[in-house]
Amino acid sequence: MKQNKTAFVNAIWLSAMVLLGATTYGQTSSQPVPGLPYSNMPQIPTIGQRISKYQPINESAKGPALEPNKGYRLQKLGRDLYMITDNVYQSMFMVYDKGVVVVDAPPPYEQYIKKAIAEVTDKPITHVVYSHSHTDHIGGTKNLELGKDVAIIAHDETKRLLQRAKDPNRPVPTITFSDKYLLKAGNQTLELSYHGNGHEPGNIFIYAPEQKTLMVVDVVFPGWMPWRRFAVSQDVPGYFAQVEEINSMKWETLVSGHVQRTGSHADVALQLEFMNDLKREALKALQSTKPGEEIDEADKNNAWALFDNYIDRVAIQIVNALTPKWSTKLAAFDVYIWDQAYAMEQSLRIDQQ
């Protein structure tokens, strides 16, 4: 087992240091040295520890394969509404009588967006909607070669963040809103709304009512473990609230901005179940773990070391509790479970007392 191998390697290394006259483990040293593993270490390697082979991706999390040599996949979501994806990122476009509305332009396939649109229409891009400010979702906008009359629509907070960024690849929005915005483009409609800071300020919900399609980026990850630390959410309680809200809304197809396929209500419910299990186990671990155990006596006057030791052991308990149920239910569980455990226990200690 990997943890036994790690302990064996650490023992050999420490013995060699002693033979060479280095400072022995447990004594004061100018540089910290690796110690023995904590008790009850999970089989899943920790952050910063190399994983030789990750768990296979669940079949239920996979989407249709990309066409060979194409670089993207086009999926129809309803009348004149399409998703573009490279099976890692996702964006949308909607065709109406006079043009095309593009929602997000991820750089990984920015060169294919106009090509994908050309598969279904020769109409020009007249509107671009930003889901939020992050480069990995809208940094390909400049490559769309927009005309001067194209409207770029986003939340007020997204405009503020982009004005600060001064990034030519992410043009500053020309139309903004604070609460709701109804985008009427000929015979098509998109309902834009803001539901607070979950992933980041300005991250909006985009709903196509006729097609019953909801797009919310970086919040739900259909069939997958969420990206690390709840997709680096700035507000973890807000993130939880948004997943619950998405779960309660009426829609048929979810475009989440990431991974291999569109989402369903079952996907949202599954992620919410995982998140609630994680929160419950984190709370139990925080309450049952005693500070200061498994730490060198000489380090007990080091406040940061005490917290680090405590937080590590809380995370160990969380990972051990969740692995039996969830390691086979969410793709890439082993990749980010440690990140989620650390994020959850910190949020419970700081945000949710």
Side-chain angles (χ1 to χ4, degrees):
M1 293 187 296
K2 188 160 186 178
Q3 71 180 59
N4 290 336
K5 290 181 180 178
T6 301
F8 180 68
V9 170
N10 283 343
I12 293 175
W13 186 86
L14 289 168
S15 298
M17 291 300 99
V18 171
L19 290 172
L20 292 171
T23 304
T24 58
Y25 177 66
Q27 295 180 349
T28 302
S29 171
S30 59
Q31 295 294 330
V33 296
L36 299 175
Y38 288 107
S39 60
N40 301 316
M41 279 297 295
Q43 292 299 304
I44 295 173
T46 61
I47 296 169
Q49 186 178 9
R50 182 178 178 182
I51 298 178
S52 59
K53 175 65 176 71
Y54 291 95
Q55 294 176 353
I57 297 173
N58 304 21
E59 290 298 319
S60 61
K62 295 179 180 179
L66 301 182
E67 294 181 28
N69 304 317
K70 191 173 182 180
Y72 68 94
R73 176 168 63 85
L74 194 61
Q75 178 176 332
K76 191 168 186 178
L77 304 173
R79 183 177 68 88
D80 294 327
L81 181 65
Y82 300 86
M83 179 180 75
I84 312 171
T85 181
D86 61 355
N87 280 358
V88 178
Y89 282 86
Q90 302 170 352
S91 59
M92 289 196 314
F93 69 88
M94 174 179 278
V95 182
Y96 69 103
D97 53 352
K98 293 183 180 180
V100 177
V101 180
V102 173
V103 185
D104 281 0
Y109 56 82
E110 62 184 10
Q111 71 272 32
Y112 299 128
I113 294 175
K114 295 181 78 172
K115 182 179 178 181
I117 293 171
E119 288 190 32
V120 297
T121 184
D122 59 0
K123 294 172 182 175
I125 297 172
T126 58
H127 302 73
V128 174
V129 176
Y130 289 161
S131 64
H132 63 306
S133 75
H134 285 166
T135 303
D136 64 322
H137 289 278
I138 66 170
T141 302
K142 184 179 179 182
N143 199 57
L144 297 178
E145 299 175 338
L146 304 175
K148 63 179 181 179
D149 295 327
V150 172
I152 301 177
I153 306 167
H155 189 264
D156 293 338
E157 282 293 316
T158 297
K159 181 177 182 178
R160 179 184 66 82
L161 292 168
L162 293 178
Q163 286 175 326
R164 183 182 70 179
K166 297 181 175 63
D167 180 2
N169 294 314
R170 295 176 285 167
V172 174
T174 58
I175 298 173
T176 64
F177 65 96
S178 60
D179 185 25
K180 295 180 180 180
Y181 185 87
L182 182 63
L183 174 55
K184 292 282 291 183
N187 56 355
Q188 295 276 29
T189 300
L190 287 177
E191 298 173 358
L192 314 182
S193 56
Y194 185 53
H195 300 253
N197 180 6
H199 175 57
E200 76 149 357
N203 201 44
I204 62 173
F205 288 28
I206 301 144
Y207 183 59
E210 179 187 326
Q211 296 83 359
K212 298 180 181 178
T213 295
L214 176 67
M215 181 173 179
V216 184
V217 175
D218 286 342
V219 177
V220 173
F221 299 79
W224 289 68
M225 167 70 78
W227 178 259
R228 67 189 326 155
R229 307 195 183 218
F230 306 115
V232 293
S233 292
Q234 294 189 14
D235 185 334
V236 172
Y239 177 88
F240 271 65
Q242 287 190 4
V243 176
E244 290 176 352
E245 187 169 9
I246 292 167
N247 190 49
S248 67
M249 293 172 66
K250 293 182 179 180
W251 47 268
E252 293 182 358
T253 303
L254 179 70
V255 176
S256 61
H258 279 292
V259 292
Q260 297 185 8
R261 60 174 176 81
T262 56
S264 65
H265 273 284
D267 292 317
V268 182
L270 185 69
Q271 180 173 317
L272 188 58
E273 181 184 353
F274 163 73
M275 290 165 56
N276 287 332
D277 282 359
L278 173 64
K279 185 175 182 179
R280 182 182 65 253
E281 294 300 333
L283 185 60
K284 286 168 57 177
L286 285 166
Q287 293 172 342
S288 62
T289 302
K290 295 180 180 180
E293 294 183 345
E294 297 189 60
I295 191 170
D296 193 301
E297 286 292 329
D299 288 324
K300 289 190 175 181
N301 64 347
N302 182 337
W304 274 199
L306 278 170
F307 269 105
D308 184 55
N309 169 277
Y310 171 70
I311 290 165
D312 282 348
R313 289 183 294 110
V314 168
I316 288 167
Q317 185 171 325
I318 297 168
V319 174
N320 279 328
L322 294 177
T323 298
K325 176 179 178 179
W326 288 103
S327 62
T328 58
K329 285 191 173 186
L330 293 175
F333 173 88
D334 56 326
V335 180
Y336 288 136
I337 182 54
W338 284 97
D339 283 278
Q340 313 303 11
Y342 281 114
M344 188 75 261
E345 59 90 13
Q346 286 296 304
S347 176
L348 286 169
R349 287 196 317 108
I350 296 169
D351 299 328
Q352 305 180 55
Q353 290 294 333

